[in-house]
């Protein structure tokens, strides 16, 4: 079965920004046909001026032609210059209006009715970058653009606007706090006050994070963004933590004339969450505590308060998982707090007086937040306390930010200096990945998963209970694999993509030609005909385009040159081997190494393009790389000038020149990711 011979690989890294769509000469969809008109468009934003980052905006585009297809793009740069982008394809209504509150995105960074999708779908141009606001005194400037058309090449720019998103609303005050040992920033709403007080703590990254506190203050709270290490004269590392520091911060808030007592609330994320639990359990003046993906035990460093000591939760570094891309997964590192050895690290939250609210991402990959919330609930009830409120968010990772911040699946930890998987999101665009070498090759599938695709690495011979050699293939197997991917709860269906190299590429062609819901095909040096062995496709059989062994030449090195061995696909004698690409509704990306010595990939791609064009198709892109060989793998993979052919059983030339082939791997990978994001969303 497919499920026993391959695995869905979860996405752990950040997707790259795709090539932006452009304008076709003629577009048709449903009952509408449209030819682009030379006109401009205007953006309509409500509210029209600056607004808070967490405030929804009514976004519309006016002045379009009736039914006009357009692409909307959004971009912003953070204070360090990192670029974030999103794009979506739309169609104007019959009056030439595109209102995101009513129009459904047809593809791109998101699909469906998502009025604020252009903001929350922003993705970093470079991987492992998290969008944070470092200077809340300046707004984020989001540039909006509308372009003609839907195709991969960007069309004419029709209109541009800038949306400024504030973190300090008019009349708010930002007050740096240097009171005794307390280091932080107090945000005060407009007006005389006093206001309900909140202390806001972030996690093990350290420093002073103000953006959440500033947004909360915009809703009528006096909020202290509190640093507790790696800031000014505070300790540089999270070693022993003393609760007296946080007690001093509570006293500062309760004595402030703008803060309404008799208590304050706490808001903590990650490590800041278990510190808030400790504050609520041991300190006075706490009226309510909100925890975002927090541990119920004292984590990372020991905690001291007067004569009390809570050890840190144990961990096993041997359980640290490092993905092939170098991203760290900490989920299984932490010991179970309920084990006797770790029981002393559990925070006695039953001592707290105020209520608790736990916000839990069920796909948190930093630690088991759902398990910890259940421990907290059971402990409180066992001590006669009210059950805490727990809100679970399926498909959500560790970093639950204020509204409209984009998802961060993985980022570089500011203290560790290494990439950490946070998890979240899903379902993901689905892919099937096939090589022609036999066996199970997961290398490319795992990298695609790091780029946001749920990817099935699919063998079709030479693995477990599959046939040991490639002989008499049946499309039913590949159809079963497609249905497995499409029905997986982590896959955003029904459309999926297929990527293949060599024989895997031609099988991808066959899947797209005979199976439904194949939306995108990437062919890396594939043949336009079914080769080597017969392929049964329902009632049809595609015979294998044969190799002529007389055309194989031996090299002095012991390798064989097989480039001329495969018979001509255009020969009428082998017409039945041709894959009927014209039947496919998928978009095709042909990746070709011009010095492919395995077979004539350039010729086969040209045949495919000509064949599609003759049938009125424009659903293809051809990328050809001079001096690149047969095995165009992901970037920085080793160069194979010779490799073992699984059908012939002998070493054969792959072709290519070292530097040119390396360039082809780097450049084609970018284009592959752009293509897949564009057509799978």
């Amino acid at each position: 079965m497919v499920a026993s011979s391959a695995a869905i690989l979860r996405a752990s890294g950040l997707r790259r920004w795709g090539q932006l769509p452009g304008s076709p000469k003629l577009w048709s969809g449903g009952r509408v046909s449209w030819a682009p008109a030379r006109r401009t468009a205007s953006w309509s934003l409500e509210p029209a001026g600056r607004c808070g980052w967490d405030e929804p905006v009514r976004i519309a585009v006016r002045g379009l032609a009736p039914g006009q297809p357009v692409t909307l793009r959004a971009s912003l740069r953070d204070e360090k210059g990192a670029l974030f982008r999103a794009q979506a394809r739309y169609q104007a209504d019959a009056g030439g209006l595109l209102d995101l509150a009513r129009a459904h995105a047809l593809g791109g960074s998101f699909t469906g009715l998502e009025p604020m999708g252009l903001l929350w779908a922003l993705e970093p141009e470079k991987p492992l970058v998290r969008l944070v606001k470092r200077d809340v005194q300046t707004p984020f400037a989001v540039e909006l653009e509308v372009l003609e058309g839907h195709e991969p090449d960007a069309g004419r720019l029709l209109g541009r606007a800038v949306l400024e998103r504030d973190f300090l609303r008019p009349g708010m005050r930002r007050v740096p706090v240097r009171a005794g040992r307390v280091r932080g920033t107090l945000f005060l709403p407009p007006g005389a006050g006093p206001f309900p007080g909140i202390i806001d703590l972030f996690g093990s990254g350290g420093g002073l994070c103000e953006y959440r506190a500033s947004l909360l203050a915009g809703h009528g709270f006096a909020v202290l963004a509190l640093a507790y290490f790696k800031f000014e004269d505070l300790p540089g590392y999270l070693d022993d933590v003393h609760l007296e520091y946080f007690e001093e911060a509570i006293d500062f808030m309760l004595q402030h004339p703008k803060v309404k007592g008799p208590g304050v609330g706490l808001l903590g994320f990650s490590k800041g969450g278990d510190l808030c639990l400790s504050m609520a359990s041991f300190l006075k003046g706490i009226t309510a505590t909100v925890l975002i993906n927090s541990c119920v035990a004292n984590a990372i460093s020991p905690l001291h308060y007067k004569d009390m000591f809570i050890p840190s939760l144990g961990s096993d570094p041997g359980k640290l998982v490092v993905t092939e891309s170098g991203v760290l997964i900490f989920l299984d590192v932490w010991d179970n707090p309920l084990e006797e050895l770790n029981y002393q690290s559990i925070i006695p939250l039953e001592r707290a007086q105020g209520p608790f609210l736990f916000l839990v991402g069920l796909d948190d990959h930093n630690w088991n937040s759902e398990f910890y919330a259940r421990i907290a609930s059971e402990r409180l009830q066992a001590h006669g306390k009210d059950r805490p409120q727990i809100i679970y968010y399926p498909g959500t990772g560790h970093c639950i930010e204020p509204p409209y911040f984009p998802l961060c699946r993985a980022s570089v930890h500011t203290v560790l200096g290494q990439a950490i998987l946070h998890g979240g999101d899903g379902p993901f665009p689905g892919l099937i990945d096939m090589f022609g070498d036999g066996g199970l090759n997961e290398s490319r599938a795992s990298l695609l998963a790091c780029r946001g695709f749920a990817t099935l690495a699919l063998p079709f011979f030479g693995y477990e209970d599959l046939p040991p050699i490639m002989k008499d293939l049946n499309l039913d197997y590949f159809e079963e694999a497609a249905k497995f991917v499409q029905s997986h709860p982590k896959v955003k269906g029904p459309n999926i993509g297929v990527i293949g190299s060599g024989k895997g590429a031609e099988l991808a062609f066959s899947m797209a030609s005979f199976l439904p819901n194949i939306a995108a095909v990437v062919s890396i040096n594939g043949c336009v005909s079914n080769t080597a062995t017969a392929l049964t496709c329902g009632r049809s059989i595609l015979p294998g385009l044969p190799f002529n062994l007389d055309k194989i030449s031996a090299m002095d090195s012991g390798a064989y040159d097989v480039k001329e061995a495969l018979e001509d696909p255009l020969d009428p004698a082998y017409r039945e081997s041709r894959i009927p690409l014209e039947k496919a509704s998928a978009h095709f990306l042909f990746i070709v190494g011009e010095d492919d010595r395995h077979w004539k990939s350039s010729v086969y791609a040209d045949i495919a393009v000509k064949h599609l064009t003759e049938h009125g198709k424009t659903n293809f892109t051809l990328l050809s790389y001079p001096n690149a060989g047969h095995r165009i793998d992901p970037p920085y993979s080793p160069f194979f000038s010779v490799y073992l052919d699984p059908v012939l059983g002998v070493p054969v030339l792959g072709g290519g020149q070292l530097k040119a082939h390396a360039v082809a791997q780097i450049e084609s990978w970018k284009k592959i990711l752009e293509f897949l994001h564009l057509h799978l969303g």
Side-chain angles (χ1 to χ4, degrees):
M1 294 179 64
V2 176
S4 66
S5 60
I8 289 284
L9 300 174
R10 294 297 310 280
S12 62
L14 298 178
R15 295 175 290 176
R16 282 191 182 272
W17 168 245
Q19 180 66 39
L20 296 171
S23 172
K25 293 182 178 179
L26 182 66
W27 179 92
S28 64
R31 300 180 179 178
V32 179
S33 294
W34 175 81
R38 304 299 291 181
R39 60 169 68 214
T40 58
S42 62
W43 288 86
S44 174
L45 306 174
E46 298 178 13
R50 284 191 181 184
C51 57
W53 176 268
D54 58 348
E55 184 178 352
V57 180
R58 185 74 177 261
I59 301 175
V61 180
R62 303 180 186 276
L64 300 172
Q68 181 174 357
V70 293
T71 297
L72 304 188
R73 303 194 304 198
S75 63
L76 71 79
R77 289 189 182 273
D78 68 9
E79 291 94 335
K80 291 188 174 182
L83 180 63
F84 294 78
R85 300 182 183 181
Q87 56 94 8
R89 302 188 290 277
Y90 284 95
Q91 180 180 337
D93 66 16
L97 172 66
L98 176 58
D99 185 349
L100 270 59
R102 296 183 294 175
H104 288 248
L106 305 176
S109 301
F110 55 92
T111 59
L113 185 62
E114 298 291 351
M116 294 292 288
L118 288 173
L119 272 73
W120 58 252
L122 288 165
E123 298 173 356
E125 182 182 45
K126 296 182 179 179
L128 305 175
V129 178
R130 180 179 174 184
L131 180 63
V132 297
K133 193 70 177 76
R134 297 173 176 86
D135 180 6
V136 299
Q137 299 177 92
T138 61
F140 268 145
V142 182
E143 185 174 282
L144 302 172
E145 294 178 321
V146 54
L147 299 95
E148 288 180 337
H150 288 170
E151 291 303 306
D153 295 328
R156 183 172 66 95
L157 179 66
L158 300 176
R160 179 184 284 117
V162 175
L163 174 62
E164 291 190 319
R165 307 279 283 170
D166 264 325
F167 287 78
L168 286 179
R169 295 194 179 187
M172 282 178 52
R173 287 158 289 174
R174 175 185 177 274
V175 184
V177 175
R178 307 295 183 269
R181 292 179 298 173
V182 177
R183 301 292 179 265
T185 303
L186 179 63
F187 293 91
L188 298 171
F195 309 100
I198 299 174
I199 295 177
D200 183 21
L201 295 178
F202 272 78
S204 60
L208 178 61
C209 294
E210 300 182 350
Y211 62 91
R212 187 170 62 198
S214 66
L215 292 175
L216 279 171
H219 295 274
F221 298 96
V223 188
L224 174 63
L226 182 64
Y228 53 96
F229 80 103
K230 199 183 174 186
F231 181 72
E232 294 186 351
D233 57 350
L234 295 175
Y237 297 94
L238 193 59
D239 296 324
D240 289 352
V241 176
H242 293 266
L243 211 55
E244 286 84 355
Y245 173 78
F246 302 92
E247 186 174 40
E248 191 173 340
I250 295 172
D251 292 340
F252 167 81
M253 289 291 285
L254 292 176
Q255 294 170 13
H256 197 284
K258 294 292 184 180
V259 176
K260 180 170 62 176
V264 297
L266 304 177
L267 173 59
F269 162 67
S270 193
K271 173 59 186 174
D274 73 64
L275 286 171
C276 286
L277 280 178
S278 297
M279 293 168 68
S281 302
F282 293 102
L283 306 180
K284 297 179 180 180
I286 307 300
T287 56
T289 305
V290 179
L291 298 316
I292 303 174
N293 283 331
S294 301
C295 186
V296 72
N298 178 56
I300 301 177
S301 59
L303 180 70
H304 303 265
Y305 180 59
K306 297 181 179 178
D307 296 331
M308 181 274 301
F309 170 79
I310 299 182
S312 59
L313 179 65
S315 61
D316 182 358
K319 295 182 178 179
L320 180 69
V321 176
V322 183
T323 69
E324 290 189 9
S325 59
V327 177
L328 308 183
I329 304 177
F330 277 93
L331 181 61
D332 295 325
V333 167
W334 311 107
D335 291 344
N336 186 346
L338 297 180
E339 293 180 355
E340 184 176 355
L341 185 64
N342 301 302
Y343 200 73
Q344 295 301 314
S345 67
I346 297 179
I347 299 164
L349 68 165
E350 68 275 3
R351 298 177 48 159
Q353 298 302 309
F356 292 99
L357 170 62
F358 289 83
L359 304 180
V360 174
L362 292 179
D363 195 34
D364 186 351
H365 273 61
N366 286 96
W367 46 33
N368 197 340
S369 301
E370 187 270 339
F371 177 52
Y372 301 148
R374 281 195 285 111
I375 294 175
S377 179
E378 293 169 2
R379 184 176 179 110
L380 287 170
Q381 292 178 77
H383 285 82
K385 297 283 188 173
D386 291 337
R387 178 184 299 176
Q389 184 179 4
I390 306 176
I391 303 177
Y392 300 102
Y393 295 97
T396 301
H398 189 64
C399 301
I400 301 179
E401 299 277 28
Y404 313 123
F405 270 90
L407 167 69
C408 180
R409 294 189 186 89
S411 66
V412 177
H413 194 279
T414 56
V415 173
L416 298 177
Q418 293 180 279
I420 305 297
L421 177 65
H422 306 304
D425 205 14
F428 307 100
L431 272 177
I432 294 176
D433 183 22
M434 297 182 293
F435 287 80
D437 303 343
L440 176 62
N441 187 337
E442 300 179 344
S443 59
R444 186 168 61 201
S446 64
L447 294 175
L448 287 165
C450 291
R451 298 298 184 177
F453 299 95
T455 309
L456 179 69
L458 184 66
F460 49 95
F461 74 98
Y463 181 71
E464 292 187 352
D465 57 348
L466 296 175
I469 61 173
M470 185 172 61
K471 183 179 180 181
D472 296 332
L473 298 174
N474 195 310
L475 199 64
D476 288 349
Y477 174 80
F478 303 93
E479 184 176 21
E480 188 177 349
K483 290 179 178 179
F484 171 76
V485 173
Q486 290 160 348
S487 63
H488 195 283
K490 284 296 182 181
V491 172
K492 179 173 61 178
N495 291 337
I496 62 172
V498 188
I499 180 172
S501 298
K503 178 66 180 180
E506 73 186 52
L507 286 168
F509 290 153
S510 296
M511 292 176 68
S513 300
F514 291 100
L515 301 181
N517 300 125
I518 305 298
V521 171
V522 177
S523 162
I524 303 174
N525 286 327
C527 184
V528 73
S529 291
N530 178 59
T531 66
T533 187
L535 176 66
T536 300
C537 307
R539 297 181 179 179
S540 302
I541 296 179
L542 299 182
L545 183 68
F547 283 87
N548 187 336
L549 300 182
D550 293 334
K551 295 182 179 179
I552 297 177
S553 57
M555 313 299 292
D556 292 339
S557 63
Y560 291 84
D561 187 345
V562 300
K563 183 175 182 178
E564 302 294 333
L566 192 63
E567 296 289 8
D568 184 1
L570 296 179
D571 189 328
Y574 306 115
R575 180 184 302 273
E576 298 302 318
S577 297
R578 287 276 298 276
I579 301 169
L581 294 179
E582 72 278 3
K583 294 183 178 181
S585 59
H587 291 265
F588 294 98
L589 175 62
F590 299 94
I591 305 291
V592 171
E594 294 182 5
D595 192 36
D596 185 355
R597 301 295 300 174
H598 181 78
W599 51 27
K600 301 176 182 179
S601 299
S602 294
V603 173
Y604 304 151
D606 289 340
I607 293 173
V609 167
K610 182 179 179 181
H611 182 74
L612 289 169
T613 303
E614 289 174 350
H615 283 81
K617 300 279 190 174
T618 59
N619 55 339
F620 58 84
T621 301
L622 172 61
L623 300 176
S624 190
Y625 295 95
N627 298 316
H630 187 67
R631 287 294 300 264
I632 302 180
D633 289 321
Y636 317 119
S637 297
F639 173 54
F640 290 95
S641 59
V642 177
Y643 67 97
L644 184 67
D645 185 274
V647 176
L648 301 175
V650 296
V652 299
L653 295 180
Q657 298 177 13
L658 180 60
K659 184 174 181 179
H661 191 87
V663 170
Q665 291 186 153
I666 294 170
E667 295 301 320
S668 66
W669 186 246
K670 295 177 184 178
K671 298 299 184 181
I672 288 169
L673 295 175
E674 292 171 357
F675 174 83
L676 293 174
H677 282 304
L678 175 63
H679 295 294
L680 297 179

